[in-house]
Amino acid sequence: MSLRVFVPCETTALSLGAGDVATLISREAEARGLEIELVRNGSRGLFWLEPLVEVDDGTGRRAFGPVDTADVASLLDSHFGDDHPLALGPTDELPWLKQQQRVTFARLGVTDPVSLNDYRATGGFDGLHNALELTPQQLVDKVKASGLRGRGGAAFPTGIKWQTVLDAAGAQKYIVCNADEGDSGTFADRLVMECDPYMLIEGMIIAGLAVGATQGYIYLREEYPLAHRHLDLAIARAEAAGYLGNNIQNSGRAFALEVRLGAGAYICGEETSLLESLEGKRGMVRAKPPLPAIEGLFGLPTVVNNVLSLAAVPSILRDGPEHYAGFGVERSRGTLPFQLAGNIAQGGLVELAFGHSLRELIEDFGGGSASGRPVRAVQVGGPLGAYLSPAQFDTALDYEAFSAIGAVLGHGGVVVFDDSVDMAEQARFSMEFCVEESCGKCTPCRIGSTRGVEVIDRIMRGENRDANMALLEDLCDTMIQGSLCAMGGMTPFPVKSAYTLFPEDFQRQGGEA
């Protein structure tokens, strides 16, 4: 057989030169008369090794990385030999991958993302075929039994949400996928859509079958052009193959799916703002109740789920809810893809069952800071998540354990800071972020964040510090208690954690380092 060479076509790998590497491998192989099959796969999620090139000569895939264009000639001259300086050994034996528990992301980087044959050959659409044999209530019951909770951040039980929509009266119901991934340091949604788009499509079809919805929308972050192309291509191929449309696999059941680009605002990641935007209006938060499950898109019953929630569904229907629930601890069942970013030596995607410690994630997988300096703080759960100090790094990664220390897991984003970080500046950034991204509908969020920036500025200048610290405390409490949605209600979380855990940074004189 000819040598199969895999070069990722995912955004991070492309930004690091994967496209040029792929072109040069083809050219150099042709010049040498070497027969190869070049496959543009998705990324494995080991970003510090991108571009990660893999080869398969029939004995299994072996990895090389990070590969630069300057390395291509020597790789071909050595016939991708194990003695090449960039040789990493069998891909599946790489400790960083082997120690993970990949369930949702088991196919990540293995296949050509838009190949329907690759998807079906690796268990794709098996869950859908099982779903077509079940009643809507049986489908909802299986999702309930899996223990799946919303992976977008709120961690609300997915099966309960589906049950509410199933029970709601409505001639038309909708499935809306929140793909407006806007949290700093997160990229898991993007990886699903760029590297395994059929998995999301399959999850949405199953959700539609479960609640009686025949129309779905993917509300996609505008800044994800590659994900947009892959989704559009995958939807077209799924339609042609009879997985979407008026007669899914000759079952007589229907589901249609479209991609709609987001409005470029962080607040549109909040579900009611998203629905407003999807209806063609300005992204403004709606008061709840009514819940979107009762009165959602165009006033009709709507499931709004995050990409990761829907992407988890095919494996639940393929392998059974007991298999999925077999991972995790207590009420946190299944796995969560953590995204390591910021000042970290080995950034990328780590899918683990709930229950491992934050320290394992940062030290064992992340390898500490990229700068080599001590890690001083970590922010988990996006820009609205609390900062954690090293004394909290042994906290278990599960929803309840994090809630107990005033933190959130959110979407699984983990941003690392070394000991050069100024936590007063980070607190100011949190308030400033809210100023920029607030929809402006409620006063605590709109005005509170602006006053928050002003108060922190006075504290940092050393002006009447004690009184301003007390004012900041009051302001944070008002935003938490009085804001209409999580934007204003959670912005104080990183602020309060910064001045509670790192008070010395708020005691410096103006300009003091």
Side-chain angles (χ1 to χ4, degrees):
M1 66 177 290
S2 63
L3 192 68
R4 301 188 80 200
V5 182
F6 299 80
V7 184
C9 61
E10 171 269 347
T11 291
T12 302
L14 291 172
S15 71
L16 293 167
D20 292 338
V21 168
T23 301
L24 196 55
I25 286 175
S26 289
R27 189 182 304 160
E28 291 286 331
E30 184 178 357
R32 288 166 171 77
L34 180 63
E35 185 180 351
I36 67 167
E37 178 189 355
L38 183 65
V39 180
R40 302 307 303 272
N41 59 320
S43 171
R44 296 271 192 169
L46 295 77
F47 288 162
W48 82 100
L49 291 176
E50 293 290 3
L52 182 74
V53 174
E54 297 176 74
V55 298
D56 185 358
D57 59 4
T59 61
R61 286 163 71 160
R62 294 175 290 114
F64 299 82
V67 176
D68 186 81
T69 51
D71 304 312
V72 170
S74 65
L75 281 167
L76 286 162
D77 288 342
S78 73
H79 298 280
F80 291 97
D82 291 336
D83 57 347
H84 191 279
L86 297 181
L88 300 168
T91 310
D92 290 340
E93 295 300 317
L94 294 176
W96 209 78
L97 280 177
K98 196 173 183 179
Q99 294 169 13
Q100 295 190 37
Q101 294 153 301
R102 289 197 168 181
V103 177
T104 303
F105 285 83
R107 200 180 290 106
L108 189 74
V110 175
T111 59
D112 172 351
V114 292
S115 167
L116 200 52
N117 288 335
D118 278 9
Y119 187 66
R120 287 186 291 218
T122 50
F125 290 120
D126 286 356
L128 175 60
H129 286 293
N130 291 338
L132 288 168
E133 301 298 322
L134 302 174
T135 66
Q137 187 59 61
Q138 287 172 324
L139 283 172
V140 171
D141 288 343
K142 284 192 177 293
V143 174
K144 285 181 184 175
S146 74
L148 178 65
R149 295 164 69 176
R151 299 294 191 246
F156 187 81
T158 303
I160 300 297
K161 181 181 287 188
W162 287 20
Q163 184 71 63
T164 305
V165 177
L166 173 62
D167 293 343
Q172 176 67 58
K173 300 178 183 179
Y174 296 104
I175 306 297
V176 173
C177 174
N178 184 348
D180 197 39
E181 187 174 48
D183 283 353
S184 50
T186 60
F187 44 80
D189 289 358
R190 179 179 61 75
L191 285 178
V192 168
M193 295 183 287
E194 290 185 358
C195 304
D196 203 0
Y198 292 111
M199 178 170 61
L200 175 60
I201 293 169
E202 184 181 359
M204 293 187 71
I205 299 169
I206 294 171
L209 296 175
V211 305
T214 56
Q215 177 67 53
Y217 295 99
I218 300 173
Y219 187 86
L220 175 66
R221 179 174 173 163
E222 185 185 26
E223 296 90 341
Y224 283 176
L226 182 60
H228 191 190
R229 289 200 296 275
H230 282 191
L231 283 170
D232 278 350
L233 185 55
I235 288 171
R237 289 180 177 179
E239 287 174 343
Y243 292 105
L244 289 167
N246 293 324
N247 187 19
I248 300 170
Q249 298 297 291
N250 298 315
S251 67
R253 303 169 82 174
F255 191 75
L257 184 58
E258 298 177 33
V259 177
R260 296 291 176 88
L261 286 183
Y266 180 80
I267 195 62
C268 288
E270 194 279 333
E271 62 176 358
T272 61
S273 292
L274 184 156
L275 294 175
E276 289 286 295
S277 178
L278 200 52
E279 292 179 2
K281 305 169 188 171
R282 178 181 173 185
M284 298 280 283
V285 173
R286 296 178 183 172
K288 292 187 284 190
L291 297 171
I294 306 296
E295 294 184 26
L297 187 63
F298 304 117
L300 295 169
T302 303
V303 168
V304 183
N305 277 149
N306 171 262
V307 170
L308 299 180
S309 307
L310 292 162
V313 170
S315 71
I316 293 170
L317 267 294
R318 184 187 62 229
D319 302 323
E322 301 81 7
H323 177 263
Y324 191 80
F327 297 93
V329 295
E330 304 296 337
R331 294 178 54 224
S332 300
R333 312 309 308 181
T335 62
L336 186 64
F338 297 97
Q339 301 126 83
L340 291 177
N343 193 336
I344 190 80
Q346 298 178 164
L349 183 129
V350 180
E351 184 176 4
L352 292 173
F354 291 99
H356 292 266
S357 73
L358 180 60
R359 188 180 302 281
E360 289 178 75
L361 194 61
I362 297 167
E363 297 180 358
D364 297 348
F365 286 96
S369 72
S371 64
R373 298 170 66 101
V375 174
R376 186 179 187 220
V378 173
Q379 187 175 33
V380 182
L384 307 182
Y387 291 101
L388 304 178
S389 73
Q392 299 170 304
F393 287 178
D394 291 318
T395 303
L397 293 162
D398 74 72
Y399 294 122
E400 281 65 40
F402 262 58
S403 178
I405 61 169
V408 294
L409 281 181
H411 189 51
V414 178
V415 180
V416 177
F417 301 84
D418 72 12
D419 63 354
S420 65
V421 67
D422 184 330
M423 297 306 295
E425 288 282 0
Q426 291 303 122
R428 186 186 188 282
F429 168 77
S430 298
M431 286 292 189
E432 189 178 28
F433 182 80
C434 188
V435 172
E436 292 294 326
E437 300 294 346
S438 172
C439 77
K441 186 163 185 174
C442 72
T443 304
C445 179
R446 182 182 71 250
I447 303 298
S449 55
T450 298
R451 297 288 91 83
V453 171
E454 296 168 354
V455 172
I456 294 175
D457 279 346
R458 291 198 292 271
I459 293 169
M460 293 172 70
R461 290 195 299 266
E463 295 177 14
N464 203 8
R465 181 175 286 124
D466 290 345
N468 277 305
M469 286 298 302
L471 182 58
L472 181 60
E473 178 80 23
D474 283 349
L475 182 61
C476 285
D477 290 343
T478 299
M479 291 178 68
I480 291 171
Q481 300 298 326
S483 296
L484 195 55
C485 77
M487 180 80 239
M490 291 179 65
T491 288
F493 288 8
V495 176
K496 289 169 76 76
S497 62
Y499 66 68
T500 301
L501 299 174
F502 309 95
E504 62 275 19
D505 288 13
F506 292 78
Q507 298 298 322
R508 297 192 183 107
Q509 297 301 315
E512 181 183 346

